[in-house]
Amino acid sequence: MRITMALGDITEQDVDAVVNAANSSLMGGGGVDGAIHRRGGPAVLDECRALRASRYGRGLPTGQAVATTAGNLPARWVIHTVGPVHSRDEDRSALLASCYRESLKVADSLGAATVAFPAISAGIYGWPMDDAARVAVTTVRAASTSVEEVRFVLFSADALAAFERALSG
């Protein structure tokens, strides 16, 4: 597997699947989640509503992943995963790692060769960027997957630098 980095907007990535740092409701929100729902359009929300009405009545649990159509995005699918809120009192890094592993499992089940990830939990969920990058890169490197390229798409130069450090470290 090839790991690449890009500074930019995950909703513009021409990949098989983009990963959404979703909230458990799957109904959209702020940050990456809101951007994916806005750009993906009603088809993404319609499939999320169907998932809530069937398998995830209480919402998608933290660390798990599920796919929907990508609607109007250049990608074919959106893989939604719920990252943990960072805590200084409790080590939740296993849940963060699970987001990456489970997203790659879903990508494999779809036959996706290229997957774009954001920095899960590093926005409003408060995960320190350097540690978020370390967990992401370490987990993806160790994953058993058929995905050919994992692209981390970062929203700022500082985030990109943190992921580049994690990749080279």
Side-chain angles (χ1 to χ4, degrees):
M1 170 193 15
R2 193 170 67 254
I3 298 176
T4 62
M5 312 272 168
L7 179 64
D9 181 346
I10 198 164
T11 69
E12 296 175 354
Q13 300 302 303
D14 188 8
V15 292
D16 293 327
V18 295
V19 175
N20 180 19
N23 65 55
S24 63
S25 77
L26 298 175
M27 296 293 119
V32 169
D33 194 20
I36 285 174
H37 273 271
R38 281 189 300 279
R39 178 104 189 256
V44 176
L45 184 58
D46 289 347
E47 285 195 25
C48 286
R49 282 191 180 120
L51 286 167
R52 285 299 305 271
S54 60
R55 295 178 15 207
Y56 299 105
R58 294 187 172 169
L60 183 64
T62 301
Q64 292 189 20
V66 66
T68 65
T69 182
N72 299 325
L73 294 166
R76 291 180 62 190
W77 300 286
V78 174
I79 299 172
H80 306 267
T81 190
V82 180
V85 174
H86 183 261
S87 171
R88 290 192 170 123
D89 302 325
E90 178 184 353
D91 181 6
R92 298 179 180 168
S93 57
L95 282 171
L96 182 55
S98 180
C99 292
Y100 291 96
R101 271 194 309 277
E102 294 302 312
S103 293
L104 288 170
K105 284 180 188 174
V106 170
D108 283 340
S109 74
L110 297 168
T114 55
V115 178
F117 278 98
I120 298 168
S121 289
I124 196 163
Y125 285 6
W127 210 282
M129 188 60 71
D130 283 326
D131 195 51
R134 178 192 61 78
V135 171
V137 170
T138 301
T139 304
V140 166
R141 272 188 174 144
S144 176
T145 181
S146 298
V147 171
E148 295 169 14
E149 179 191 357
V150 167
R151 182 181 310 158
F152 290 107
V153 181
L154 293 315
F155 56 88
S156 72
D158 289 343
L160 178 63
F163 272 73
E164 287 173 339
R165 283 190 300 275
L167 188 60
S168 65

